[in-house]
Amino acid sequence: VCDIDPGHSNFVGLVHGGVTAAMVDMAGGGAVMSILKPGQTLLSTDITMRYLNAVPGDCTQIAAEGRVTYSDARKAVVDVKVVLPDGTIAAMGVVGLAIRSPRA
């Protein structure tokens, strides 16, 4: 969840797409944290975004939820939705993540 303030707006008064993209990235990593083994870390390798509805500058909060759709020992893929308080889907994205083993 991200509490929106005026600093999140772009020059036309909408929440900047970069805020939404960051939410997709963070929700993707958060979803994969549940399948990591002790000592493993994550690194985002790619993000694909689809902006569906603008987030108005007066919106108070956006939320993102990720669902792991693929994983193996070295990588994971997560589908993410970013939603406005009224349930409107603002964006959908897919995050690829590298699963890194602990360094010796």
Side-chain angles (χ1 to χ4, degrees), residues 7-56:
H8 292 111
S9 295
N10 60 20
F11 63 93
V12 296
L14 300 172
V15 172
H16 193 284
V19 175
T20 309
M23 291 291 292
V24 168
D25 189 26
M26 293 297 294
V32 175
M33 294 294 285
S34 66
I35 64 171
L36 292 182
K37 295 176 184 167
Q40 288 182 319
T41 58
L42 297 173
L43 178 67
S44 297
T45 59
D46 58 274
I47 300 173
T48 302
M49 290 294 304
R50 184 163 305 231
Y51 296 98
L52 302 172
N53 292 289
V55 179

Side-chain angles (χ1 to χ4, degrees), residues 1-6 8 15 55-63 83-86:
V1 172
C2 179
D3 293 326
I4 302 298
D5 65 43
H8 292 111
V15 172
V55 179
D58 63 353
C59 181
T60 58
Q61 192 176 73
I62 57 177
V83 183
L84 303 180
D86 69 2

Side-chain angles (χ1 to χ4, degrees), residues 73-92:
R74 297 183 57 214
K75 59 194 157 298
V77 177
V78 182
D79 287 346
V80 179
K81 288 183 186 177
V82 179
V83 183
L84 303 180
D86 69 2
T88 301
I89 298 174
M92 296 174 75

